């Protein structure tokens, strides 16, 4: 049987074709994810060649040139090629283990057992399941209605397919300008745990702001802006067509290929490193910086608010990292020591819950080089604290984290995120920044008079 494979994910030559002769699958056909740690330069070269000539989906790292000796490599292999790829690895004496033996089975398990569009939200909303975009839209509307004293819903812009992007603003009423914490989720469609965390975060803040002194304190000084799904079109596509879709859905080359990686599309050293100009690539950076409406919507809004934004958090998966700027250069930002200190505090808080270990550091040093990321861009325009979270796991399930890990992942991540927010609050509002209301002002005047009288 002869199969002609277009060179999609990894090739820089989108119009070449590679003919592979293979026998039909032995036993049931299923995509698999292989875990490889190449030991020599020759093994690295062979793996790069495999990726560049076959339809292999690199999960970690994202580019063949970022395959290094001694570093983890996770590749999804299409079912018809599994045996041939394994034979090739054996011939080159490259050790591997099967990380995910049946990708489709994992995909099936990650889908909710029943669509829940009829259940009431937010009271009946199940935060330990993944939700399609329709339900997330409904949840946002209901969470605003049920918490109108604290939550407002705002239009951020439109997607390439003309869907509305909404963010939630959580703000305690105040007569003064407060500073802002920004958080976005779901910039990459297949990373479903990310929007699940944004929803969990909102729920936890609203349930606990009266009883939790840390949350109560930072809400006096900080407003929280939460964008639950940035890449709405891609997220919907991942539910309806291709669970492992990553990019947005912008058409290119007269509709012959689709999607830009929105986290390579920001105006931070755009297109310089760790990207592809091939529109079929998972890390296609677009036709120019902010070429995509989703990127523009976020960037224009952040630009307008940047003097008030103290912290930019963007939530991804997978790998268990807290990443600091920069991805495009190993030159550290001016406040790198403080960024690292806060990230390490956050990782320690996270680890304290279930023992989950996160690695902390600049993307370019502990992961790979990339340019055009939202995290780098946010720091470059002057937002002092900017972090990427890569949530669970380390590859056992990869982008298809099971339902039963949503709650523990969100619980531990909540501790890390609130640690960062608390640090920012205490740095910029030392001593809790007690607001002088008319009542407290009157009390302080009485105390002042009383103390003066006593001393004299």
């Amino acid at each position: 049987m002869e199969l002609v494979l277009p060179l999609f994910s990894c090739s820089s030559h989108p119009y070449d074709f590679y003919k592979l002769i293979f026998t039909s699958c032995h036993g049931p056909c299923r995509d698999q994810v292989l875990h490889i740690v190449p030991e020599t330069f020759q093994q690295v070269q062979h793996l790069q060649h495999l990726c560049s000539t076959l339809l292999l989906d690199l999960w970690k790292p994202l580019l063949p040139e970022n395959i290094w000796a001694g570093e983890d490599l996770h590749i999804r292999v299409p079912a018809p090629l599994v045996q041939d790829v394994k034979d090739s690895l054996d011939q080159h004496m490259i050790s591997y283990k099967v990380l995910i033996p049946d990708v489709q089975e994992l995909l099936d398990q990650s889908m909710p057992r029943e669509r829940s569009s009829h259940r009431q939200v937010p009271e009946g909303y199940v935060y330990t399941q993944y939700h399609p975009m329709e339900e997330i839209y409904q949840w946002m509307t209901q969470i605003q209605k049920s918490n109108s004293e604290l939550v407002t819903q705002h239009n951020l812009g439109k997607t390439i397919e003309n869907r509305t992007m909404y963010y939630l603003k959580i703000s305690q009423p105040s007569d003064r300008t407060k500073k802002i914490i920004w958080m976005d989720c779901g910039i990459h469609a297949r990373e479903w745990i990310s929007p699940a965390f944004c929803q969990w975060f909102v729920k936890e803040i609203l349930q606990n702001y009266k009883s939790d002194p840390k949350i109560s304190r930072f809400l006096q000084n900080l407003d929280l802006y939460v964008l639950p799904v940035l890449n709405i079109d891609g997220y919907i596509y991942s539910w309806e067509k291709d669970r492992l879709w990553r990019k947005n859905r912008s058409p290119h080359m007269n509709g012959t290929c689709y999607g830009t990686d929105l986290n390579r599309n920001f105006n931070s050293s755009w297109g310089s490193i760790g990207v592809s100009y091939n529109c079929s690539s998972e890390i296609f950076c677009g036709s120019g910086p902010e070429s995509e409406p989703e990127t523009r919507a976020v960037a224009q809004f952040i630009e307008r608010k940047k003097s008030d934004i103290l912290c930019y958090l963007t939530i991804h998966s997978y790998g268990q990292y807290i990443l600091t700027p920069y991805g495009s250069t190993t030159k550290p930002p001016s406040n790198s020591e403080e960024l690292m200190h806060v990230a390490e505090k956050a990782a320690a808080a996270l680890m304290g819950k279930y023992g989950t270990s996160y690695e902390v550091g600049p993307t370019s040093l502990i992961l790979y080089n990339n340019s055009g990321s939202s995290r780098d861009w946010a720091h470059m325009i002057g937002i002092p604290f900017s972090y990427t979270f890569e949530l669970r796991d380390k590859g056992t399930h990869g982008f298809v984290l099971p339902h039963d890990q949503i709650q523990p992942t969100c619980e531990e991540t909540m501790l890390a995120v609130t640690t960062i927010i608390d640090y920012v609050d205490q740095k910029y509002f030392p001593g809790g920044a007690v607001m002088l209301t008319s009542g407290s002002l009157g009390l302080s005047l009485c105390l002042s008079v009383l103390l003066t009288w006593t001393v004299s």
Side-chain angles (χ1 to χ4, degrees):
M1 180 178 176
E2 186 176 272
L3 181 70
V4 179
L5 292 175
L7 300 187
F8 284 158
S9 305
C10 309
S11 174
S12 57
H13 308 287
Y15 304 110
D16 291 344
F17 292 89
Y18 181 77
K19 291 185 179 180
L20 178 73
I21 310 296
F22 65 89
T23 57
S24 58
C25 302
H26 306 295
C29 289
R30 49 198 172 203
D31 290 13
Q32 294 189 341
V33 175
L34 304 183
H35 177 207
I36 302 164
V37 183
E39 297 174 357
T40 67
F41 177 65
Q42 288 74 21
Q43 290 183 353
V44 167
Q45 283 187 312
H46 180 67
L47 289 164
Q48 289 173 334
H49 174 72
L50 269 183
C51 176
S52 299
T53 52
L54 299 180
L55 185 61
L56 303 183
D57 179 12
L58 268 173
W59 282 16
K60 180 184 181 182
L62 295 169
L63 276 175
E65 53 260 42
N66 288 326
I67 298 172
W68 300 99
E71 297 291 333
D72 290 332
L73 168 65
H74 300 163
I75 49 174
R76 178 169 67 102
V77 185
L81 302 183
V82 166
Q83 194 55 53
D84 298 273
V85 168
K86 288 178 178 178
D87 290 345
S88 178
L89 295 174
D90 288 337
Q91 287 167 14
H92 289 80
M93 300 180 71
I94 299 173
S95 299
Y96 66 87
K97 67 178 181 180
V98 178
L99 199 59
I100 301 176
D102 188 343
V103 173
Q104 188 57 50
E105 183 182 5
L106 204 58
L107 299 183
D108 293 342
Q109 290 171 2
S110 77
M111 299 301 287
R113 293 170 190 84
E114 59 183 68
R115 295 295 281 264
S116 49
S117 55
H118 298 299
R119 69 183 169 223
Q120 284 196 324
V121 291
E123 292 78 10
Y125 199 73
V126 181
Y127 288 89
T128 53
Q129 283 192 356
Y130 297 115
H131 292 272
M133 195 64 222
E134 175 192 0
E135 291 179 15
I136 296 175
Y137 273 136
Q138 292 170 359
W139 169 81
M140 292 178 79
T141 301
Q142 287 297 324
I143 211 86
Q144 189 269 325
K145 285 181 181 175
S146 303
N147 301 272
S148 56
E149 75 287 355
L150 214 64
V151 181
T152 48
Q153 183 178 358
H154 302 268
N155 185 334
L156 187 68
K158 295 281 189 179
T159 69
I160 192 73
E161 293 182 344
N162 206 37
R163 295 185 175 95
T164 303
M165 301 169 67
Y166 292 110
Y167 68 91
L168 297 175
K169 178 182 177 182
I170 303 176
S171 176
Q172 281 197 323
S174 173
D175 55 3
R176 64 195 179 95
T177 303
K178 291 189 284 183
K179 295 299 184 181
I180 295 169
I181 306 292
W182 169 274
M183 181 191 299
D184 61 58
C185 292
I187 194 171
H188 290 143
R190 62 191 177 186
E191 299 167 9
W192 285 9
I193 188 61
S194 169
F197 174 70
C198 260
Q199 293 166 78
W200 185 279
F201 175 81
V202 170
K203 165 188 78 83
E204 287 292 301
I205 295 294
L206 296 177
Q207 283 181 356
N208 297 307
Y209 77 96
K210 290 179 180 175
S211 58
D212 186 315
K214 181 192 291 186
I215 297 173
S216 178
R217 186 178 63 245
F218 65 58
L219 279 184
Q220 291 180 9
N221 307 308
L222 302 168
D223 290 338
L224 309 176
Y225 287 61
V226 181
L227 178 60
V229 185
L230 195 162
N231 178 11
I232 293 171
D233 299 340
Y235 186 71
I236 290 172
Y237 193 79
S238 75
W239 274 81
E240 296 180 352
K241 302 289 186 183
D242 179 358
R243 171 64 181 84
L244 294 171
W245 187 259
R246 169 183 169 91
K247 304 181 286 180
N248 79 343
R249 290 296 299 162
S250 56
H252 303 281
M253 306 290 292
N254 296 318
T256 58
C257 61
Y258 281 82
T260 294
D261 183 345
L262 298 176
N263 204 41
R264 302 292 184 277
N265 191 237
F266 283 80
N267 193 14
S268 52
S269 304
W270 178 87
S272 61
I273 193 168
V275 300
S276 173
Y277 296 104
N278 167 14
C279 62
S280 293
S281 169
E282 296 284 24
I283 51 174
F284 173 54
C285 58
S287 57
E290 298 176 18
S291 61
E292 308 307 300
E294 297 91 344
T295 314
R296 279 198 306 278
V298 172
Q300 290 172 3
F301 180 80
I302 298 293
E303 192 75 50
R304 288 198 303 272
K305 298 277 190 180
K306 66 182 181 183
S307 61
D308 289 322
I309 300 175
L310 297 178
C311 182
Y312 186 103
L313 300 171
T314 181
I315 313 298
H316 294 243
S317 74
Y318 65 95
Q320 296 172 200
Y321 298 98
I322 302 176
L323 300 169
T324 63
Y326 294 112
S328 57
T329 175
T330 55
K331 182 182 178 183
S334 58
N335 65 333
S336 61
E337 285 188 18
E338 187 176 26
L339 282 167
M340 282 294 293
H341 169 68
V342 177
E344 284 163 355
K345 279 171 65 84
L350 185 153
M351 191 176 191
K353 184 69 176 175
Y354 294 110
T356 310
S357 176
Y358 270 55
E359 192 173 349
V360 172
T363 306
S364 58
L365 293 180
I366 69 168
L367 200 53
Y368 46 66
N369 290 109
N370 66 356
S371 54
S373 74
S374 64
R375 176 207 56 245
D376 282 6
W377 172 81
H379 195 273
M380 285 175 177
I381 65 166
I383 295 171
F385 293 91
S386 184
Y387 296 103
T388 300
F389 275 74
E390 296 281 359
L391 303 185
R392 290 191 189 185
D393 55 13
K394 295 183 80 68
T396 304
H397 303 96
F399 300 113
V400 197
L401 198 69
H403 292 120
D404 60 10
Q405 290 202 41
I406 296 174
Q407 181 168 339
T409 301
C410 290
E411 286 176 345
E412 66 192 10
T413 308
M414 190 74 193
L415 292 172
V417 167
T418 53
T419 296
I420 293 173
I421 297 173
D422 186 53
Y423 179 92
V424 171
D425 178 44
Q426 301 217 34
K427 176 183 172 72
Y428 290 92
F429 301 93
V434 176
M435 293 180 288
L436 284 179
T437 62
S438 57
S440 63
L441 181 60
L443 178 61
S444 65
L445 285 171
C446 289
L447 286 171
S448 176
V449 170
L450 181 61
L451 285 169
T452 305
W453 179 79
T454 305
V455 170
S456 58

